[in-house]
Amino acid sequence: MSSAMQQLYQQVILDHSRQRSGYGELDQPQGESFQVNPTCGDECRVQVRLDGRRLGQLGWTGRGCSISQASLSIMHEMLEGESIDDAEELGELFRELMHARGKELEPQKQEQLEDLSAFTGVAQYPARIKCALLGWMALRDAIIQAQHG
Amino acid sequence: MSSAMQQLYQQVILDHSRQRSGYGELDQPQGESFQVNPTCGDECRVQVRLDGRRLGQLGWTGRGCSISQASLSIMHEMLEGESIDDAEELGELFRELMHARGKELEPQKQEQLEDLSAFTGVAQYPARIKCALLGWMALRDAIIQAQHG
Amino acid sequence: MTSVRDVAADFPLLGRTVRGGKRLVYLDTGATAQKPAAVLEAERRFNTESNAAVHRGAHQIAEEATEAYEAARAAVAQFVGADFAEIVWTKNATEALNLVAYGFLNATLGRGGAEAEQFRLAPGDEIVVTELEHHANLVPWQELAAKTGAVLRWIPVTDEGRLDPAGFEVIGERTRIVAFTHASNVTGAVTDVAPLVQRARSVGAYTVLDACQSAAHLPIDLHCLGVDFAAFSGHKMLAPTGVGALYGRAELLDAMPPVLTGGSMVEIVTMEETTFMPPPQRFEAGTQMVAQTVGMHAAVDYLSELGMDRMAAHEHRLTQLMLEGLAEIPEVRVLGPASAEDRLAVAAFDVEGVHPHDVGQVLDDDGIAVRVGHHCAQPVHRAFGVHASTRASAGIYTTEADVEAFLAGLRRVVQFFRGG
Amino acid sequence: MTSVRDVAADFPLLGRTVRGGKRLVYLDTGATAQKPAAVLEAERRFNTESNAAVHRGAHQIAEEATEAYEAARAAVAQFVGADFAEIVWTKNATEALNLVAYGFLNATLGRGGAEAEQFRLAPGDEIVVTELEHHANLVPWQELAAKTGAVLRWIPVTDEGRLDPAGFEVIGERTRIVAFTHASNVTGAVTDVAPLVQRARSVGAYTVLDACQSAAHLPIDLHCLGVDFAAFSGHKMLAPTGVGALYGRAELLDAMPPVLTGGSMVEIVTMEETTFMPPPQRFEAGTQMVAQTVGMHAAVDYLSELGMDRMAAHEHRLTQLMLEGLAEIPEVRVLGPASAEDRLAVAAFDVEGVHPHDVGQVLDDDGIAVRVGHHCAQPVHRAFGVHASTRASAGIYTTEADVEAFLAGLRRVVQFFRGG
Ligand SMILES: Cc1ncc(COP(=O)(O)O)c(C=O)c1O
Ligand SMILES: Cc1ncc(COP(=O)(O)O)c(C=O)c1O
């Protein structure tokens, strides 16, 4: 494998795409969102239950490539139990990373991204950015729904 | 004027486009046909009355360029009173001339065309061939109508 | 800054000769413009380096093609004062205008759900057009009216070939659509858009602007103009044939049902039913004219670099020259305003007693390319009491020498057919 | 005769490298084909010598443009076994298929007079498609059905991805239209057209053939096939983007009302109503993709010179190689017939446990361009129980070395994602 591919498919991405954290439906979601990537037909459904201003429970289902699955899995690992504000901040940061065309963000931001920093290489491939972001679009929607729905 | 234009606009054409022979409506046409050149919106209406197998009367109206008007005028001069068979033969010959790309036909045919041989140059200008032929399409239609209508 | 005299050198076709070695004087830009080398080169580069299906592949060339295609959209959007997602690629302006008409039809037939209800027409609703329209902005509305039971009404032209403001009163209570040209391809009259938009808005009607001539010759800002839809064609603005665009205000395109359907504009397709993507994709079914959009990108870059203001000023000067010269030939009647104000460098005219075909033929023999016929605008010709006309139309590459050659040629025409 | 090994040299883009200097192995011809220099040169020559509005001007360049445009029509007609006036230019195959669907809709809404009555649909009439269709030959019929009250039915596919002859019985008394693909862009299956046409005829239904893939890869003769309408795209057959064609049997085009309306397709236009020209002009509203039709002319000349038979034989050999190679990788399941008979050089496949995006990405990194996704054919993917696939598709310029590079790359993909 070339170094470009090794940078893209870092071990943490491959691992998460196989061992998907948080995969499954919630019992009584307060908010949920279904998103499709029309280019490939990949889909995901993200469900949340709030606990005050926290993401009490976060679950997801769907199908997609290793990038999209790992992104959802890491999202679950990093955000379940965390505050909505933290979720929004992390989402913003991840979107920023995805539009950085493969460049790293400032060290402090990169640190804040934790495992998500493994996606730095994805941003070099315009067609894959949507894969990485699909779950995060769904999360944002699901939270809004849970808050106002 | 260049020689090309002098060849195109021969005196006989200019004369006929000004002094239009046969211009006007017939009293009781047995057949008539209305044709439009959609590129420019030019139109003509040709009317006939038969006298057995002869074109007893032939009249036409319409508007168009010098080429179309002269063609109709000469058609009237050459064919009124002549047999339908002669009209068809002359029409065929004229069509042949119009598709000869500016070359003369065999001398005997060229002679048969009489004044119509002045249109030889028209066939060099694809956009003008339709102008020259418009009246002849109308004549053919009008005769068919008179025979079967 | 390039002087206008240098501009013509950018257009390879203008260097050719016609009719046995005569210099070409191309005065048919109103029909279609010539293309600068930069446009042809951009297209060639795309075809030899980045040609691939857009929005579809995971491979590098497909990425490059997608980027080129969407960058072209961004450039064109900026050029006409629109947002990115408000520009839908079409093959020409005619398709763009039809797209709007069919959007209304499809909504009327129940497509597009609740959001699209705003576009439903009922029998007796009115569609207002003008007597000045190119057939492309007239016939689609006739057809829409015939299919929906709506009634077509129109604003007449003045003796000068401008929209008659007194006629704006046909826009009334039942008016649902007002479709009008920004600039006439026959009279050259530039429409004062504001009062029409205002009146249309006051009765809640949608406005559709035919910007085919204006986008090619004037700086335009669609957001400023405030119209709801607009259409223009690449080939009139130095871009390749085969590409044009529809502009639609974002929230209207959002609500409008698709017209052409197929690949690349769908989300989920089952045998039973289909959900559609948001605009602009929703209106771009199938493989698009990608190389041509890249050419259009280069064209608007070229125009922006020259400056649409400078271009308009240059053409204004040509308009004055043309109108002055034509006014000096007694047999000539110009179909359009006598003054160059608010007027494009287009002069359609009648030569007393000489048919336009004959005028055009003799000019052509001198190497002067003009257009003859009704220029796809029969009604305005009828309004002037003629059936057809000869039209000389200029572009950024037209020189004063071109206009003078044309005027001299025209005097010879008059001499030939009328003089002797 | 050029050997196939030399053919690739005719295609400038194939000489480029990707992803840091890797040789490009272009296996996405099913999406869009690369263009030979001869096509690009024909287009360039037109643009620098003969660009003008067609059917409109009296000047020399307009004459040349018109001749080039109509000569292209004649060449394409001959190439697909049709008569001159049976070929209508469109921007792509999708537009061509929509044109037919809207022709039926407009007739149903009363347009086109008595002649067009034959195209009127009534609620309960049936439109038959197949599960194999590209969205371009499915969604327009769903839309037509929804607007007219007609019912959509379909022929299912077999486990091999061919049309199931047992399913032909959905074509019955009420069937008015049978729309089906000549060759699938997913399974590669080539349809045996005769029995379908026969059955459709026996119930008086019109046939619409999606010849998008077949016209690009097989010799085809539409008169022989006996279909009523057919659609194909230039960009799949070595021609530029932005041009395609609709074929319609002469007497059907004659009777069908227009769809897009505007300039160059009318006879007499008054403010109240319009009469239309005969086909093909009736269906070609506005300024057409003239330069692209000239490119398409060069493309069919190029193909004819190579010989469609030889091209098909070459591609057949590639199909065999591809299918044999794929069969040797246990994790790979081909979505389509296992044998190369009656099958295009298109292999869509599933790699167990590896998503197509990931397959394509790693191949791309090796310079191998394939397509991933549903290839605008979701239903047939669903029939195979998958959501998406990876697709390698070959063209006349594809070499055996390309296929081998692809197979080797695919083995590395499997190794990377499944092996370690
Ligand atoms: C079988 C088939 N039909 C229709 C189409 C649509 O063609 P286009 O996108 O050129 O309109 C395609 C290609 O995308 C195809 O492969
Ligand atoms: C004012 C106007 N509107 C519409 C059109 C139609 O444009 P197109 O033929 O490019 O679709 C034209 C040009 O022909 C035009 O001049």
Side-chain angles (χ1 to χ4, degrees):
Chain A
M1 250 342 96
S2 75
S3 66
M5 285 301 99
Q6 252 142 21
Q7 227 234 308
L8 180 64
Y9 291 112
Q10 299 200 13
Q11 202 56 46
V12 55
I13 291 183
L14 293 178
D15 290 348
H16 269 282
S17 75
R18 286 166 191 148
Q19 297 280 336
R20 296 176 295 179
S21 171
Y23 192 90
E25 306 217 344
L26 299 192
D27 252 5
Q28 289 185 296
Q30 292 165 329
E32 76 169 50
S33 166
F34 177 73
Q35 297 286 334
V36 183
N37 183 345
T39 342
C40 53
D42 284 350
E43 329 171 323
C44 74
R45 185 183 308 276
V46 168
Q47 300 179 321
V48 296
R49 282 190 63 80
L50 300 188
D51 181 3
R53 293 281 305 163
R54 303 205 156 264
L55 288 173
Q57 274 190 296
L58 197 167
W60 64 277
T61 55
R63 74 194 120 203
C65 61
S66 57
I67 304 293
S68 75
Q69 302 296 287
S71 171
L72 278 150
S73 175
I74 297 173
M75 175 176 95
H76 175 264
E77 239 183 42
M78 286 179 73
L79 290 181
E80 198 174 45
E82 302 301 317
S83 77
I84 291 176
D85 291 344
D86 284 355
E88 269 160 20
E89 199 185 328
L90 189 65
E92 270 318 300
L93 216 55
F94 189 54
R95 266 180 276 276
E96 191 183 334
L97 182 72
M98 284 303 98
H99 293 112
R101 296 195 157 243
K103 292 217 194 72
E104 297 206 343
L105 304 183
E106 300 95 89
Q108 169 237 337
K109 286 182 176 172
Q110 205 74 15
E111 204 166 294
Q112 224 178 320
L113 284 164
E114 296 179 22
D115 274 1
L116 288 175
S117 67
F119 287 82
T120 307
V122 174
Q124 285 180 311
Y125 300 95
R128 307 307 297 280
I129 293 170
K130 183 94 194 237
C131 308
L133 290 178
L134 200 66
W136 296 81
M137 284 171 58
L139 176 65
R140 190 157 57 174
D141 258 32
I143 291 174
I144 291 171
Q145 245 198 52
Q147 287 178 313
H148 306 102
Chain B
M1 250 339 96
S2 76
S3 67
M5 285 302 98
Q6 251 141 22
Q7 228 235 307
L8 179 64
Y9 292 110
Q10 299 200 13
Q11 201 57 45
V12 56
I13 290 184
L14 293 179
D15 289 349
H16 269 281
S17 75
R18 286 169 193 146
Q19 297 281 335
R20 297 176 295 182
S21 167
Y23 193 91
E25 306 216 345
L26 298 193
D27 250 4
Q28 287 184 301
Q30 290 165 332
E32 76 169 50
S33 167
F34 177 72
Q35 297 287 333
V36 182
N37 183 346
T39 342
C40 53
D42 284 350
E43 330 171 325
C44 74
R45 184 184 308 276
V46 168
Q47 300 179 323
V48 296
R49 283 191 62 83
L50 299 188
D51 181 4
R53 293 280 303 161
R54 302 207 156 262
L55 288 172
Q57 275 190 294
L58 197 169
W60 64 276
T61 53
R63 74 192 121 203
C65 61
S66 56
I67 304 292
S68 74
Q69 303 296 289
S71 172
L72 278 150
S73 175
I74 298 174
M75 174 177 96
H76 174 264
E77 239 182 42
M78 288 178 72
L79 290 180
E80 198 174 45
E82 302 301 317
S83 77
I84 291 176
D85 292 343
D86 284 354
E88 269 160 19
E89 200 186 327
L90 189 64
E92 270 319 300
L93 216 53
F94 189 53
R95 268 180 275 275
E96 192 184 332
L97 182 71
M98 284 302 99
H99 293 112
R101 295 193 159 246
K103 294 217 194 71
E104 297 207 345
L105 304 184
E106 302 92 274
Q108 170 235 339
K109 287 184 177 173
Q110 207 73 16
E111 203 165 298
Q112 224 177 321
L113 284 164
E114 298 181 19
D115 274 0
L116 286 175
S117 67
F119 288 82
T120 306
V122 174
Q124 286 181 310
Y125 300 94
R128 309 304 298 278
I129 294 171
K130 184 93 195 241
C131 308
L133 290 178
L134 200 66
W136 295 81
M137 286 171 55
L139 175 65
R140 188 156 59 177
D141 258 33
I143 292 175
I144 290 171
Q145 245 198 51
Q147 286 178 315
H148 304 101
Chain C
M1 284 212 310
T2 347
S3 91
V4 172
R5 203 166 290 278
D6 298 335
V7 167
D10 291 344
F11 293 76
L13 187 138
L14 296 179
R16 76 165 275 182
T17 58
V18 289
R19 298 293 179 216
K22 297 198 185 90
R23 178 174 94 83
L24 170 65
V25 175
Y26 186 74
L27 289 172
D28 199 13
T29 296
T32 201
Q34 297 306 335
K35 294 111 188 42
V39 165
L40 303 179
E41 173 57 18
E43 227 186 327
R44 196 198 61 80
R45 202 175 328 114
F46 176 83
N47 276 321
T48 57
E49 294 177 12
S50 306
N51 173 60
V54 304
H55 290 307
R56 291 184 170 189
H59 56 82
Q60 185 183 343
I61 312 181
E63 273 173 15
E64 290 175 14
T66 306
E67 229 166 85
Y69 178 67
E70 295 301 349
R73 192 195 307 278
V76 168
Q78 207 198 335
F79 186 76
V80 297
D83 290 339
F84 179 79
E86 294 179 325
I87 295 295
V88 173
W89 295 119
T90 61
K91 65 178 171 181
N92 54 25
T94 302
E95 184 193 356
L97 293 164
N98 276 274
L99 206 162
V100 181
Y102 274 102
F104 276 89
L105 177 67
N106 287 346
T108 305
L109 296 172
R111 306 307 292 158
E115 281 182 300
E117 262 172 36
Q118 59 180 306
F119 302 119
R120 287 199 194 163
L121 299 181
D125 279 352
E126 294 176 358
I127 301 170
V128 170
V129 295
T130 91
E131 222 179 356
L132 205 49
E133 298 312 308
H134 188 281
H135 297 155
N137 201 27
L138 168 57
V139 189
W141 306 115
Q142 289 179 339
E143 288 289 306
L144 179 62
K147 290 181 232 175
T148 58
V151 177
L152 195 76
R153 308 193 61 183
W154 56 88
I155 299 166
V157 291
T158 64
D159 292 347
E160 272 224 307
R162 295 193 181 276
L163 294 185
D164 186 352
F168 294 4
E169 66 190 20
V170 298
I171 302 170
E173 287 288 284
R174 299 240 31 193
T175 306
R176 300 293 315 283
I177 300 167
V178 182
F180 60 99
T181 193
H182 196 185
S184 162
N185 67 318
V186 176
T187 71
V190 177
T191 304
D192 184 7
V193 173
L196 272 164
V197 165
Q198 201 174 354
R199 177 140 189 144
R201 276 205 191 135
S202 73
V203 299
Y206 297 101
T207 46
V208 182
L209 188 72
D210 177 355
C212 221
Q213 292 292 338
S214 58
H217 297 283
L218 304 171
I220 88 171
D221 184 325
L222 292 169
H223 280 172
C224 264
L225 290 173
V227 292
D228 293 315
F229 300 96
F232 50 99
S233 262
H235 71 94
K236 305 233 189 226
M237 16 192 327
L238 316 185
T241 55
V243 59
L246 169 69
Y247 159 81
R249 280 206 298 118
E251 64 264 43
L252 297 181
L253 288 185
D254 260 339
M256 194 165 251
V259 175
L260 300 180
T261 57
S264 301
M265 49 74 75
V266 300
E267 283 176 353
I268 307 283
V269 179
T270 65
M271 291 308 290
E272 289 85 1
E273 61 179 358
T274 294
T275 59
F276 301 107
M277 290 176 71
Q281 275 72 32
R282 187 191 300 154
F283 301 100
E284 295 176 356
T287 306
Q288 297 298 300
M289 59 307 285
V290 186
Q292 292 74 41
T293 67
V294 171
M296 187 144 176
H297 187 167
V300 299
D301 280 356
Y302 181 91
L303 287 171
S304 301
E305 207 165 299
L306 279 180
M308 290 301 282
D309 283 321
R310 277 180 72 221
M311 168 156 166
H314 169 66
E315 293 187 18
H316 180 69
R317 173 82 197 112
L318 298 178
T319 312
Q320 288 174 323
L321 266 184
M322 252 196 298
L323 293 179
E324 282 163 25
L326 290 171
E328 283 168 13
I329 309 176
E331 290 84 353
V332 166
R333 174 168 67 120
V334 172
L335 313 182
S339 127
E341 297 317 304
D342 296 321
R343 194 185 192 302
L344 297 182
V346 166
F349 56 87
D350 181 55
V351 181
E352 203 189 326
V354 189
H355 190 278
H357 262 183
D358 296 318
V359 176
Q361 191 79 58
V362 175
L363 287 174
D364 168 56
D365 191 62
D366 274 343
I368 300 157
V370 295
R371 186 163 163 195
V372 300
H374 50 59
H375 323 311
C376 299
Q378 292 178 20
V380 69
H381 277 88
R382 213 168 281 123
F384 277 109
V386 297
H387 213 65
S389 64
T390 307
R391 183 184 73 181
S393 57
I396 181 62
Y397 39 67
T398 306
T399 60
E400 300 190 2
D402 289 341
V403 174
E404 277 152 21
F406 154 69
L407 292 168
L410 186 57
R411 284 188 294 262
R412 280 195 296 277
V413 168
V414 173
Q415 174 68 18
F416 179 63
F417 286 107
R418 311 259 312 164
Chain D
M1 281 208 312
T2 346
S3 91
V4 172
R5 202 166 293 278
D6 299 333
V7 167
D10 292 344
F11 293 76
L13 187 138
L14 297 178
R16 74 164 274 180
T17 59
V18 288
R19 298 296 179 213
K22 293 191 189 99
R23 179 174 94 83
L24 171 65
V25 175
Y26 186 74
L27 290 172
D28 199 13
T29 296
T32 202
Q34 296 306 335
K35 292 112 188 45
V39 166
L40 303 180
E41 174 56 19
E43 228 186 325
R44 196 197 61 78
R45 202 175 328 115
F46 176 82
N47 276 321
T48 55
E49 293 178 12
S50 305
N51 173 62
V54 305
H55 288 309
R56 292 182 169 190
H59 56 82
Q60 186 183 344
I61 312 181
E63 271 173 16
E64 290 176 15
T66 305
E67 228 166 88
Y69 178 69
E70 295 302 347
R73 192 195 308 276
V76 167
Q78 206 197 339
F79 186 76
V80 297
D83 289 341
F84 179 79
E86 293 179 324
I87 295 296
V88 173
W89 296 117
T90 62
K91 64 177 170 180
N92 56 25
T94 302
E95 185 192 353
L97 293 163
N98 275 275
L99 206 162
V100 181
Y102 275 102
F104 276 89
L105 177 67
N106 287 346
T108 305
L109 295 174
R111 307 306 292 157
E115 283 183 298
E117 261 172 37
Q118 58 180 306
F119 302 120
R120 286 197 194 166
L121 299 181
D125 280 351
E126 293 176 358
I127 301 169
V128 171
V129 295
T130 91
E131 224 180 353
L132 206 50
E133 297 312 307
H134 188 282
H135 297 156
N137 201 26
L138 168 56
V139 188
W141 307 115
Q142 289 180 340
E143 289 289 307
L144 178 62
K147 289 182 234 175
T148 58
V151 177
L152 196 77
R153 307 194 62 183
W154 57 88
I155 298 166
V157 291
T158 64
D159 292 347
E160 273 222 309
R162 291 193 185 276
L163 293 187
D164 186 353
F168 293 4
E169 65 189 20
V170 301
I171 301 169
E173 288 288 284
R174 300 240 32 194
T175 307
R176 301 293 313 283
I177 300 167
V178 182
F180 60 99
T181 192
H182 196 186
S184 162
N185 66 319
V186 176
T187 72
V190 176
T191 304
D192 184 8
V193 172
L196 271 165
V197 165
Q198 203 175 355
R199 177 139 189 143
R201 275 205 192 136
S202 74
V203 299
Y206 297 101
T207 47
V208 182
L209 188 71
D210 177 355
C212 220
Q213 292 291 337
S214 57
H217 298 282
L218 304 172
I220 87 172
D221 185 325
L222 292 168
H223 281 172
C224 264
L225 290 173
V227 292
D228 293 315
F229 299 96
F232 49 98
S233 263
H235 71 95
K236 307 233 188 226
M237 12 193 332
L238 316 186
T241 54
V243 59
L246 168 69
Y247 159 81
R249 280 207 296 118
E251 65 264 43
L252 297 180
L253 287 186
D254 261 338
M256 193 165 253
V259 175
L260 299 180
T261 55
S264 300
M265 49 76 73
V266 300
E267 285 177 351
I268 307 283
V269 180
T270 64
M271 290 309 290
E272 289 84 0
E273 62 179 0
T274 294
T275 59
F276 301 107
M277 289 175 72
Q281 275 73 31
R282 188 193 298 156
F283 301 100
E284 296 177 353
T287 307
Q288 298 298 299
M289 58 305 286
V290 185
Q292 293 75 41
T293 67
V294 171
M296 187 144 177
H297 187 169
V300 300
D301 280 356
Y302 181 91
L303 287 170
S304 301
E305 206 165 300
L306 279 179
M308 288 302 282
D309 283 320
R310 279 179 71 219
M311 169 155 165
H314 168 65
E315 294 188 16
H316 180 69
R317 173 81 197 114
L318 298 177
T319 312
Q320 287 174 324
L321 265 185
M322 251 194 301
L323 293 178
E324 282 163 24
L326 290 170
E328 283 169 14
I329 308 175
E331 290 83 354
V332 166
R333 174 169 67 116
V334 171
L335 312 182
S339 127
E341 296 318 304
D342 296 323
R343 194 187 192 300
L344 297 183
V346 167
F349 55 88
D350 182 54
V351 181
E352 204 189 325
V354 189
H355 189 279
H357 261 183
D358 296 320
V359 176
Q361 192 78 59
V362 175
L363 287 174
D364 168 56
D365 192 61
D366 274 343
I368 300 156
V370 296
R371 185 164 163 193
V372 299
H374 50 58
H375 320 313
C376 301
Q378 293 178 19
V380 70
H381 277 88
R382 215 169 279 123
F384 277 110
V386 297
H387 213 65
S389 65
T390 307
R391 184 183 74 180
S393 56
I396 181 63
Y397 40 67
T398 307
T399 61
E400 299 190 3
D402 289 341
V403 174
E404 277 151 22
F406 156 67
L407 292 168
L410 186 57
R411 286 190 293 264
R412 279 195 298 278
V413 168
V414 173
Q415 176 67 19
F416 178 64
F417 285 107
R418 311 258 312 162

